Amino acid sequence: MAKYLNEGVFPALADPTRRKILRLLSRGELPAGAIGDQFPIAGSSMSHHLSILKRAGLVVARREGQQIVYTLNTTVVQGILGMVLEVFEPSEESR
């Protein structure tokens, strides 16, 4: 699972705004404008957050006409969850 993770994943997750964006996208894909409507920040700041999430591989973007639609990248999210579970998995010595 870790092969899907890049070094930008955890810094991207460190920001509460980006975590909220991921929570919104966990319910389904959304256009950038609809995501931005949920936050009291400038469009350029929202664009920056979405760019960081995209570079980290946490979201995927596609153009539909004049809109950019974002989707949660479930492969990477599953990789993160798998990695966290591995950390807490009992070792051979403790079994």
Side-chain angles (χ1 to χ4, degrees), residues 2-14 52-53 55-58 76 80 83:
K3 67 183 176 184
Y4 298 109
L5 303 180
N6 70 46
E7 63 187 36
V9 168
F10 292 107
L13 291 171
I52 289 171
L53 291 170
R55 276 196 313 269
L58 291 163
V76 173
I80 294 166
M83 195 167 81

Side-chain angles (χ1 to χ4, degrees), residues 53-69:
L53 291 170
K54 191 172 154 188
R55 276 196 313 269
L58 291 163
V59 299
V60 177
R62 75 173 189 284
R63 183 169 286 283
E64 282 189 6
Q66 295 196 12
Q67 293 187 35
I68 299 176
V69 177

Side-chain angles (χ1 to χ4, degrees), residues 33-46:
I35 297 169
D37 288 345
Q38 302 296 312
F39 299 87
I41 59 176
S44 59
S45 293
M46 180 53 60

Side-chain angles (χ1 to χ4, degrees), residues 3-33:
K3 67 183 176 184
Y4 298 109
L5 303 180
N6 70 46
E7 63 187 36
V9 168
F10 292 107
L13 291 171
D15 184 271
T17 298
R18 292 191 285 270
R19 289 193 305 268
K20 185 175 177 186
I21 292 169
L22 294 174
R23 278 193 297 277
L24 289 171
L25 292 174
S26 72
R27 297 182 212 138
E29 64 184 26
L30 289 170

